[in-house]
Amino acid sequence: MIRLYHIVKSYGDRDALRDISLHIQKGEMVYITGPSGAGKSTLLKMVYGAEHPTSGKLLIGGVDVSKMKHAELPSLRRNMGVVFQDFKLLPSRSVAQNVAMALEVIGASAESIRRRVPAVLNIVGLKGREDDLAGVLSGGEKQRVAIARAIVNDPAMLLADEPTGNLDGAMAVEVMEILQAINLRGTTVLVATHDVGLMDRFPYRKLRFVDGRLVVSPTKGSRS
Amino acid sequence: MTAPFQRALRGLKEHTYLAAVATGVIAAVLVLLGVYALVVVNLQAALSGWQEDVHVSAYFNADVSAADQLTAQATIATRTEVASVELVTAPMAAAWMKERVPEVGPLLVELGDSALPASLEVSLRPASTSPAAMDGFAASLSATGQFAEIDYGREWVERAAAFLATLSLLGGVLGIILVVAALFLVGNTIHLVVYARRDELEILRLVGATESYIVTPFLIEGFLEGLVASAFALAILQFVHHGVVLRLHETVPIAFGGQDLAFLPASILFGLVATGITIGILAGWVAVRRFLARLA
């Protein structure tokens, strides 16, 4: 699904990623972990095309993302969902409107949007909350809306950058359970986190980064 | 798919204040341009009237007899460049002066009816009012030796034409400066709108929106703001024209030859609307492109 070959990412004199090679299989759930500044977010940004590697090759489904032109990024992003620590929701819009944004950009019909949005809100445990304003939700609810928006298109891949960073313990567990459920439906899930407790509770393969280098990469893609 | 127009309306609804500011700025610029155009259009009309009304006053020498004066009038009337010739005899000139300036009446009585010279007041056809044509006409009258002075206000007409030409040039420069300033101001205002919607743009990017999907509503918003601003500007100009300028004109009617001040012609009104819409669209396009480039 995702293959990196000798990826280097430099910002001036500083190397954010150094000679990273790895492989993430389709349907796998993987943690990208390590201390702050280790390169976790940089790696995710490369996967969703917000950053280009300085050198090396990054293949997603056989397509070389590292050489992708700006105008080609929408087609890449329509096939993946992205979730952030700060949720990135529009507080003045309803839950349904926030989720529907991902469907509107691909030209989904109004009927399809009316059908898909409640269904996906049901998956993340927000059934019946369509009309609530996103701004009045709790942190955990906001993250669920963000996840709903990320998966409403049935993407092949879900990227989550510190998805539990702003949540307390119980809410973080709920969010991880949702991500786990999404993975069980066949979606490849990459979670950048440094929450050791959650990784122990939901054990999946860990890609540990330190100072831009991949230091631990068990090859087995199952719970360990 | 939510239509771009619907998304534009939603954007305007969610950011009404900033949209109103952008509209106000465009309207203000259009009013300034329109007021300037009103001034130039009416000055041009006035000058055109004055130019058409150009006539030559040819003052007879004192020794030219009344019969010769009539002969001269008849001769000049046959010339192709002449529209009409009126003979103003010395008594008629004195009577005119007494009527217009009563204070000089006793003096004129004392000096007698021949105090003022007789003259021919010659109106020329419009095609013959160019400075060169008038020079030639005046020279031909001088050559008869019957006239002491020929006055045709050439210098004044030339000065007025030069003034209007300068005014038009200044108007062009001022117009360009105003439009550029408007683009800058409206661009910055719409940049604020774009900045206020940065989260939305960022999310749209993340969920795979194409650039045209993101930019199109902003162009529509710019179009609508320009259109509304144009309507406001035209209403204000109409108000200024009727409420202020016409009242002023009633106070000093002679300055405009007794004619009503004209409102802007349809071509200029259309131009103002087109300018407003163009400013709105361009400013929206520049602002959102700048922001997207930074996001990229």
Side-chain angles (χ1 to χ4, degrees), chain A residues 3-10 17-22 43 46 51-60 63-68:
Chain A
R3 286 181 184 274
L4 278 71
Y5 297 100
H6 305 291
I7 287 287
V8 173
K9 178 63 184 178
S10 304
L17 292 174
R18 305 165 193 238
D19 195 26
I20 306 296
S21 295
L22 58 86
L43 179 67
M46 281 191 195
E51 297 279 5
H52 284 297
T54 307
S55 64
K57 189 185 278 190
L58 195 164
L59 301 179
I60 297 177
V63 177
D64 191 351
V65 176
S66 54
K67 289 185 179 151
M68 213 169 231

Side-chain angles (χ1 to χ4, degrees), chain A:
Chain A
M1 183 80 190
I2 303 174
R3 286 181 184 274
L4 278 71
Y5 297 100
H6 305 291
I7 287 287
V8 173
K9 178 63 184 178
S10 304
Y11 297 101
D13 295 338
R14 191 179 72 81
D15 288 338
L17 292 174
R18 305 165 193 238
D19 195 26
I20 306 296
S21 295
L22 58 86
H23 176 211
I24 296 169
Q25 292 181 359
K26 188 177 179 187
E28 194 179 359
M29 181 152 171
V30 175
Y31 290 116
I32 298 165
T33 185
S36 295
K40 306 185 296 290
S41 295
T42 304
L43 179 67
L44 285 188
K45 282 180 182 173
M46 281 191 195
V47 173
Y48 65 82
E51 297 279 5
H52 284 297
T54 307
S55 64
K57 189 185 278 190
L58 195 164
L59 301 179
I60 297 177
V63 177
D64 191 351
V65 176
S66 54
K67 289 185 179 151
M68 213 169 231
K69 288 178 183 158
H70 191 64
E72 296 169 325
L73 288 177
S75 62
L76 170 77
R77 290 176 180 167
R78 288 175 185 193
N79 202 31
M80 62 173 65
V82 190
V83 175
F84 294 92
Q85 181 176 353
D86 61 357
F87 322 124
K88 296 203 186 300
L89 298 178
L90 298 179
S92 60
R93 294 198 190 168
S94 70
V95 167
Q97 285 173 328
N98 271 282
V99 175
M101 285 176 82
L103 290 169
E104 288 170 358
V105 301
I106 62 168
S109 66
E111 170 56 30
S112 170
I113 292 173
R114 270 196 298 273
R115 189 167 38 81
R116 287 288 300 152
V117 170
V120 82
L121 286 176
N122 191 29
I123 292 173
V124 298
L126 289 174
K127 187 179 180 184
R129 305 289 299 275
E130 286 87 345
D131 297 329
D132 291 0
L133 286 182
V136 303
L137 301 177
S138 69
E141 289 169 334
K142 284 178 182 170
Q143 195 59 290
R144 289 195 226 175
V145 176
I147 292 170
R149 185 184 61 204
I151 63 169
V152 73
N153 286 336
D154 281 330
M157 189 191 319
L158 177 63
L159 313 178
D161 191 358
E162 301 282 1
T164 59
N166 278 348
L167 307 179
D168 63 26
M171 284 184 178
V173 168
E174 283 178 12
V175 165
M176 283 305 298
E177 284 173 348
I178 292 170
L179 293 178
Q180 191 175 47
I182 291 165
N183 173 243
L184 288 172
R185 291 155 56 101
T187 306
T188 307
V189 180
L190 276 68
V191 182
T193 182
H194 55 257
D195 189 329
V196 177
L198 277 179
M199 286 188 282
D200 286 344
R201 184 162 180 167
F202 299 92
Y204 292 95
R205 180 159 73 110
K206 298 182 189 72
L207 302 173
R208 180 170 170 74
F209 288 78
V210 175
D211 197 22
R213 293 185 193 283
L214 180 60
V215 292
V216 180
S217 175
T219 51
K220 205 148 173 64
S222 59
R223 295 179 187 216
S224 58

Side-chain angles (χ1 to χ4, degrees), chain B:
Chain B
M1 181 180 185
T2 312
F5 193 78
Q6 281 177 285
R7 286 187 285 126
L9 289 181
R10 183 163 68 186
L12 289 172
K13 192 177 162 190
E14 287 179 348
H15 302 277
T16 311
Y17 175 73
L18 285 172
V21 171
T23 305
V25 172
I26 299 173
V29 170
L30 294 180
V31 167
L32 283 176
L33 287 174
V35 166
Y36 187 82
L38 265 176
V39 171
V40 170
V41 161
N42 280 288
L43 276 180
Q44 266 172 345
L47 185 68
S48 174
W50 296 331
Q51 279 176 331
E52 282 175 13
D53 195 35
V54 164
H55 69 277
V56 176
S57 297
Y59 299 96
F60 284 107
N61 287 319
D63 57 356
V64 177
S65 66
D68 287 345
Q69 289 173 6
L70 284 169
T71 306
Q73 180 190 16
T75 307
I76 291 169
T78 61
R79 295 179 61 163
T80 53
E81 65 265 52
V82 173
S84 65
V85 186
E86 185 189 350
L87 173 63
V88 179
T89 61
M92 287 164 71
W96 184 88
M97 180 62 86
K98 281 177 198 168
E99 185 187 326
R100 293 293 173 100
V101 192
E103 294 81 8
V104 300
L107 181 63
L108 290 173
V109 170
E110 197 169 314
L111 291 172
D113 277 350
S114 59
L116 296 176
S119 65
L120 289 178
E121 298 298 324
V122 185
S123 286
L124 295 173
R125 296 186 192 283
S128 303
T129 55
S130 69
M134 292 184 73
D135 276 347
F137 182 75
S140 69
L141 294 188
S142 286
T144 63
Q146 291 181 301
F147 300 99
E149 187 182 347
I150 296 163
D151 180 10
Y152 55 100
R154 175 195 161 189
E155 197 180 338
W156 183 86
V157 170
E158 281 181 344
R159 276 188 191 171
F163 171 72
L164 200 64
T166 308
L167 200 67
S168 296
L169 182 68
L170 277 177
V173 173
L174 188 70
I176 291 168
I177 292 172
L178 273 174
V179 169
V180 170
L183 272 176
F184 181 75
L185 276 173
V186 178
N188 275 342
T189 309
I190 294 183
H191 187 70
L192 284 178
V193 176
V194 172
Y195 186 75
R197 292 161 67 173
R198 63 194 181 282
D199 290 342
E200 179 185 349
L201 298 187
E202 198 179 345
I203 293 165
L204 286 172
R205 269 271 164 97
L206 285 172
V207 296
T210 59
E211 190 145 319
S212 62
Y213 181 93
I214 296 172
V215 172
T216 305
F218 282 93
L219 300 187
I220 294 171
E221 285 176 39
F223 171 85
L224 292 174
E225 285 164 359
L227 193 66
V228 172
S230 304
F232 271 121
L234 296 193
I236 291 168
L237 285 171
Q238 187 78 26
F239 175 78
V240 168
H241 178 256
H242 276 295
V244 180
V245 180
L246 285 181
R247 193 166 298 171
L248 193 70
H249 166 60
E250 284 166 12
T251 322
V252 281
I254 199 162
F256 296 93
Q259 295 172 359
D260 277 345
L261 287 179
F263 191 54
L264 294 171
S267 58
I268 292 183
L269 293 178
F270 179 78
L272 283 176
V273 173
T275 303
I277 290 172
T278 306
I279 289 174
I281 291 175
L282 261 183
W285 187 74
V286 169
V288 76
R289 285 296 300 255
R290 259 166 53 188
F291 190 83
L292 288 178
R294 215 163 49 210
L295 267 186

